[in-house]
């Protein structure tokens, strides 16, 4: 089945090429790529609990202290 319509924001008949590029770039600029506060808190808590010890016999031991 053929589609009779397309999205105007991506079709070439609605916008000239430069305008389409500007629309796409604006959408990319608005994206929120920062981690949430919850994720940052988890990473910091993990780094506080992580303990790495070098031993003579076993090499490095990695422990998560709880």
């Amino acid at each position: 089945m053929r589609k009779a319509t397309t999205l105007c924001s991506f079709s070439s008949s609605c916008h000239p090429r430069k305008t389409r590029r500007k629309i796409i770039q604006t959408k990319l600029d608005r994206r929120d790529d920062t981690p949430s506060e919850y994720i940052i808190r988890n990473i910091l808590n993990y780094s506080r609990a992580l303990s790495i010890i070098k031993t003579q016999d076993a090499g490095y031991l990695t422990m998560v202290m709880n």
Side-chain angles (χ1 to χ4, degrees):
M1 177 181 255
R2 293 182 77 178
K3 292 185 179 181
T5 61
T6 60
L7 295 173
C8 190
S9 62
F10 294 109
S11 74
S12 59
S13 61
C14 292
H15 304 289
R17 182 176 287 211
K18 287 184 179 182
T19 306
R20 280 196 320 247
R21 284 184 188 160
K22 189 174 182 179
I23 290 171
I24 292 171
Q25 188 61 42
T26 303
K27 288 180 181 180
L28 289 174
D29 289 343
R30 282 191 221 151
R31 242 180 15 182
D32 185 21
D33 287 341
T34 59
S36 68
E37 185 179 333
Y38 174 76
I39 298 297
I40 293 172
R41 199 172 335 127
N42 281 347
I43 292 170
L44 291 174
N45 287 338
Y46 177 79
S47 69
R48 274 189 232 127
L50 184 64
S51 177
I52 301 173
I53 301 169
K54 183 177 180 181
T55 64
Q56 291 179 352
D57 297 331
Y60 289 99
L61 293 177
T62 304
M63 298 177 288
V64 177
M65 310 297 264
N66 203 355

